[in-house]
């Protein structure tokens, strides 16, 4: 039984750590990278309760950043463009092996980052629209 607990803990650390790392990497983009940081913290806090004190402050900032990333058409266009550029760069890096760190190991991570960014933008946009729709009805 103890072995199952260890496997679960390793899985939580790997999944939470990966979400956290990808989230931190997405912070340099004009998208809602804090949402992935929040997801990583929530996953890690399930095994490490000391991390729970960071969840609420990061949640507040993540939701604000998600709203800000889709607040204006210009910001939304910039975020979508960044996602598309990441995907394009990933394809180029995958196909041109003479580039530094060329190959599909780097290319696929860039494509995945672009897809995550676009997915989070869609989520943020829907959330902001639903929130605005709820406000106008009251």
């Amino acid at each position: 039984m103890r072995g199952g607990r260890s496997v679960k803990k390793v899985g939580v650390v790997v999944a939470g750590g990966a979400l956290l790392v990808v989230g931190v990497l997405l912070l340099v983009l004009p998208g809602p990278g804090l949402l992935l940081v929040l997801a990583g913290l929530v996953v890690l806090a399930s095994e490490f309760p000391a991390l729970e004190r960071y969840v609420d402050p990061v949640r507040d900032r993540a939701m604000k950043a998600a709203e800000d990333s889709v607040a204006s058409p210009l910001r939304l266009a910039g975020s979508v463009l960044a996602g598309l550029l990441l995907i394009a760069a990933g394809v180029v890096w995958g196909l041109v092996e003479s580039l530094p760190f060329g190959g599909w190991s780097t290319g696929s991570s860039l494509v995945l980052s672009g897809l995550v960014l676009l997915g989070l933008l869609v989520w943020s946009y829907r959330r902001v629209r639903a929130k605005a729709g709820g406000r106008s009805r009251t």
Side-chain angles (χ1 to χ4, degrees), residues 51-126:
L51 293 176
E52 287 180 18
R53 66 184 176 141
Y54 298 108
V55 171
D56 284 335
V58 172
R59 178 179 287 125
D60 294 341
R61 286 185 180 177
M63 294 306 144
K64 176 75 172 116
E67 290 173 8
D68 289 348
S69 69
V70 295
S72 72
L74 186 59
R75 275 190 154 172
L76 184 58
S79 297
V80 169
L81 182 61
L84 294 175
L85 286 174
L86 273 172
I87 292 169
V91 171
V92 169
W93 246 268
L95 294 174
V96 181
E97 295 201 19
S98 62
L99 290 171
F101 305 106
W104 284 108
S105 59
T106 302
S108 61
S109 65
L110 287 169
V111 169
L112 181 61
S113 295
L115 292 173
V116 167
L117 174 61
L118 293 175
L120 289 173
L121 284 170
V122 168
W123 180 85
S124 298
Y125 184 75
R126 289 178 145 182

Side-chain angles (χ1 to χ4, degrees), residues 6-22 39-41 43-44 46-48:
S6 296
V7 170
K8 180 185 177 225
K9 191 168 192 161
V10 167
V12 166
V13 168
V14 169
L19 286 169
L20 197 60
V21 167
V22 171
L41 278 176
V43 170
L44 290 171
S46 70
E47 283 295 321
F48 304 100

